């Protein structure tokens, strides 16, 4: 079975502070990990994926197979980063989402 | 390109009734996946359609069924509705088949309320 855990329902940080959204997964094979974001009144959209090893909007995420984690990080939070963030795993050709973390950036 | 579109936007049904939700994929996409998102939860995978066949299925009962048409659009049908079926139903499309390695684009969802 595949599982994604996001332990924080809400994360509040001040503008300019570092952000780390936690994601842990359980999967027996080689997973594909993703971060999706949903801004207020917008549809769910892909933020980044681990195979691309890219930085999008200043966010990065590194797959740590030893700790089975894929935490999302940004060194300096911006107000426009406030949104709902979902970690997702693709395995056995289906995608499993975590329960999401609401990021609130305080001006 | 309007991207992934879903209809209707909102729907209210009574327990025991049947419902059909519709999805049109993004232009150029041939694979459609359906998700159920209950309040406060992440999307849960229901099933995926490619070449008009169900390719993968999540842990949902047979009351949930689907269909994909030759133009790649898709329907989700739910029979014998339960109160617990109240949720946001999301459709996502992608440009590949069973390999599924490409990005999924999500629709705005259909909000189903069962009373």
């Amino acid at each position: 079975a595949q599982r994604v855990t996001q332990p924080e329902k809400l994360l509040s940080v001040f503008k300019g502070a570092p952000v780390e959204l936690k994601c842990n997964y359980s999967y027996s094979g080689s997973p594909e990990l993703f971060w999706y974001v949903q801004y207020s009144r917008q549809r769910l959209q892909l933020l980044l994926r681990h195979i691309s090893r890219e930085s999008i909007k200043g966010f990065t995420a590194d797959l740590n197979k030893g700790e089975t984690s894929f935490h999302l990080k940004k060194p300096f939070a911006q107000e426009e980063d406030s949104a709902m963030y979902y970690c997702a795993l693709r395995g056995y050709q289906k995608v499993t989402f975590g329960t999401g973390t609401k990021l609130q950036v305080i001006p | 390109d309007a991207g992934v579109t879903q209809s209707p936007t909102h729907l209210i049904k009574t327990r025991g009734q049947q419902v059909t939700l519709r999805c049109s994929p993004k232009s150029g996409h041939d694979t459609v996946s359906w998700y159920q998102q209950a309040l406060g939860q992440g999307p849960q995978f229901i099933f995926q359609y490619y070449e008009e066949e169900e390719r993968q299925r999540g842990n949902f009962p047979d009351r949930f069924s689907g269909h994909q048409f030759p133009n790649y659009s898709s329907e989700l049908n739910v029979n014998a509705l339960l109160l617990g079926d109240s949720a946001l139903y999301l459709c996502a499309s992608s440009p590949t088949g069973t390999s599924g390695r490409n990005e999924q684009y999500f629709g705005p969802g259909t909000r189903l309320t069962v009373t």
Side-chain angles (χ1 to χ4, degrees), chain A residues 9 32 34 36 38 43-46 49 51 86 90 92-100, chain B residues 2-4 35 37 40-43 45 48 56 58 98 100-104 106-108:
Chain A
K9 280 194 175 294
E32 288 185 73
F34 306 82
Y36 282 82
Q38 187 167 29
R43 60 186 69 185
L44 198 60
Q45 58 186 285
L46 179 67
R49 68 190 86 184
I51 57 173
Y86 294 95
R90 176 153 56 204
Y92 307 119
Q93 298 184 14
K94 72 174 187 179
V95 180
T96 298
F97 284 82
T99 52
Chain B
V4 180
Y35 295 84
Q37 187 174 19
Q41 300 296 315
F45 177 75
Q48 182 185 80
Q56 288 291 326
T98 56
R101 298 190 73 84
N102 284 322
E103 176 181 347
Q104 287 190 102
F106 282 82

Side-chain angles (χ1 to χ4, degrees), chain B residues 11-17 19 21 35-42 44 46 60 63-64 76 78-90 110-115:
Chain B
L11 202 51
I12 299 175
K13 289 287 189 178
T14 304
R15 269 183 307 176
Q17 285 188 317
V19 68
L21 311 181
Y35 295 84
Q36 180 195 66
Q37 187 174 19
L39 201 60
Q41 300 296 315
Q44 285 195 61
I46 303 175
F60 280 80
R63 296 188 298 109
F64 289 77
L76 165 65
V78 187
N79 294 322
L81 284 167
L82 303 174
L83 295 179
D85 295 332
S86 295
L88 180 68
Y89 288 85
L90 296 170
T110 292
R111 172 73 62 188
L112 173 64
T113 301
V114 182
T115 61

Side-chain angles (χ1 to χ4, degrees), chain B residues 24-51:
Chain B
S24 290
K26 182 177 170 62
S27 178
H29 289 189
D30 56 8
T31 301
V32 173
S33 300
W34 285 93
Y35 295 84
Q36 180 195 66
Q37 187 174 19
L39 201 60
Q41 300 296 315
Q44 285 195 61
F45 177 75
I46 303 175
F47 43 53
Q48 182 185 80
Y49 275 83
Y50 172 63
E51 292 187 334

Side-chain angles (χ1 to χ4, degrees), chain A:
Chain A
Q2 55 193 66
R3 182 173 296 178
V4 176
T5 303
Q6 294 180 252
E8 303 143 326
K9 280 194 175 294
L10 173 67
L11 181 65
S12 296
V13 301
F14 285 101
K15 178 182 174 181
V19 174
E20 182 177 49
L21 299 172
K22 291 183 166 52
C23 172
N24 288 89
Y25 66 91
S26 173
Y27 183 65
S28 57
S30 293
E32 288 185 73
L33 275 298
F34 306 82
W35 277 99
Y36 282 82
V37 61
Q38 187 167 29
Y39 301 102
S40 179
R41 288 185 287 278
Q42 294 188 27
R43 60 186 69 185
L44 198 60
Q45 58 186 285
L46 179 67
L47 179 61
L48 53 79
R49 68 190 86 184
H50 90 272
I51 57 173
S52 300
R53 302 186 64 83
E54 56 199 345
S55 173
I56 302 293
K57 300 183 179 182
F59 285 98
T60 59
D62 290 320
L63 178 60
N64 186 323
K65 291 187 178 181
E67 296 182 358
T68 59
S69 68
F70 188 57
H71 303 328
L72 183 67
K73 299 178 183 179
K74 184 171 183 176
F76 308 103
Q78 303 298 315
E79 289 181 64
E80 56 266 29
D81 296 330
S82 294
M84 197 75 188
Y85 291 80
Y86 294 95
C87 182
L89 179 154
R90 176 153 56 204
Y92 307 119
Q93 298 184 14
K94 72 174 187 179
V95 180
T96 298
F97 284 82
T99 52
T101 298
K102 183 176 182 178
L103 175 63
Q104 182 180 60
V105 180
I106 304 165

